[in-house]
Amino acid sequence: MKTVFVCLFAALTPVMAQHEAPGEMLPNCGFELVAPGNNLPDGWAGGNFNTEAKLAVDNEVFHSGTRSVRIDGAPRSRAGLSKGFGERETDATAVYLLSAWVKIEGTSTHSLRTSARITSVGANGDVLKSDYRLAPSGPCDWTYCEWLVALPPETTRFNLVLFHHGEGTAWWDDVSLRRARPVAALAPAQDANVADARPLFRWEPLPGDGILEVTGGESFAPALTRRFPVTGTQFQLPEPLPAGKHYQWRVLAAGADGSAVTVAPD
């Protein structure tokens, strides 16, 4: 089964509030709790890797609540906020849904600019993979970003870092990391121009009821995305889609045995 890695840049509201999302793995997702003494979010670590970048909780600029994390960059600098996950939290057979709201002022010329990194580590402590996912290049107001990440099979623990590299300023807020079981999306094909404007969407069994999301753009932006509650393993849209367009789709589900997300089959 091949996992589709999709980066979604859209100013949208997630399907459910973070505190209601099943399987949330991150503490202090909105950075509302501040650790005493270092002005960083409680439950997180951070640093500037001996560069000129500055990392701190911001009480004036935020997406929700009363705080965010701000990184003030400089040429050839980087800083990041990190959280580690041990063996009990690591499942190399799963996929991880990582999302965040990001705001950027200025433009970084660094190739990794504002990005999230997941580093996978093996049993012997060797780094198996450092997987970077890019946020918009900026400048931009608060923007929703979402990524689907898979770990190498030999991974026994991993680490998440919310970075900003180079010039400009970046804010991170309302982050989320959820583990999900990959389930095959059977038909129609992703990004397919289907002659039938009411295609029958089909997928393998999910652990519970789900949400079908269909978008006609490169991202699941609000103006381009339609959402439908679904049960079982198939669904036909009540109204036809606009003809002559390409569509991406997925189903997200949560049940007693965990969360699941459809991915494209091999």
Side-chain angles (χ1 to χ4, degrees):
M1 181 181 299
K2 178 179 66 178
T3 301
V4 175
F5 298 106
V6 183
C7 182
L8 313 179
F9 299 133
L12 56 86
T13 301
V15 172
M16 58 184 72
Q18 284 186 338
H19 66 276
E20 299 173 347
E24 178 57 61
M25 299 177 63
L26 295 177
N28 195 15
C29 295
F31 309 134
E32 296 300 298
L33 302 178
V34 182
N38 62 8
N39 201 29
L40 291 178
D42 190 43
W44 294 75
N48 66 355
F49 303 90
N50 297 316
T51 70
E52 297 180 4
K54 298 178 181 179
L55 169 69
V57 170
D58 192 327
N59 299 315
E60 297 182 358
V61 178
F62 41 81
H63 172 255
S64 71
T66 60
R67 294 184 175 95
S68 68
V69 166
R70 172 175 175 153
I71 303 175
D72 291 304
R76 297 179 298 280
S77 75
R78 63 171 174 158
L81 192 69
S82 65
K83 175 63 180 173
F85 301 91
E87 292 186 18
R88 296 182 63 180
E89 301 162 298
T90 302
D91 183 356
T93 67
V95 291
Y96 289 81
L97 285 80
L98 172 63
S99 65
W101 287 84
V102 178
K103 174 182 170 71
I104 302 171
E105 289 185 354
T107 301
S108 172
T109 58
H110 196 287
S111 60
L112 295 175
R113 54 182 197 262
T114 307
S115 55
R117 184 188 75 189
I118 287 186
T119 299
S120 303
V121 180
N124 297 325
D126 51 323
V127 174
L128 302 175
K129 184 179 183 181
S130 287
D131 196 352
Y132 285 90
R133 300 307 173 90
L134 298 177
S137 59
C140 64
D141 201 355
W142 287 109
T143 301
Y144 181 71
C145 298
E146 183 177 300
W147 305 274
L148 199 62
V149 181
L151 306 177
E154 302 84 4
T155 304
T156 58
R157 56 187 174 89
F158 67 97
N159 178 261
L160 166 67
V161 185
L162 307 175
F163 269 119
H164 181 67
H165 301 76
E167 307 91 333
T169 299
W171 289 264
W172 292 87
D173 201 0
D174 294 330
V175 295
S176 176
L177 182 69
R178 289 181 288 153
R179 182 170 53 199
R181 175 166 58 89
V183 173
L186 302 179
Q190 295 291 342
D191 200 26
N193 191 333
V194 183
D196 183 1
R198 291 185 62 208
L200 180 65
F201 293 92
R202 297 189 296 111
W203 55 89
E204 288 186 343
L206 296 164
D209 296 344
I211 299 292
L212 168 67
E213 300 184 339
V214 184
T215 178
E218 295 182 358
S219 70
F220 287 74
L224 301 174
T225 303
R226 300 175 66 183
R227 295 176 174 84
F228 306 90
V230 294
T231 59
T233 59
Q234 63 182 36
F235 182 79
Q236 191 162 33
L237 301 184
E239 298 177 358
L241 296 167
K245 296 185 66 175
H246 292 249
Y247 292 97
Q248 297 281 346
W249 67 278
R250 68 179 184 181
V251 178
L252 300 169
D257 58 345
S259 299
V261 61
T262 57
V263 297
D266 291 331

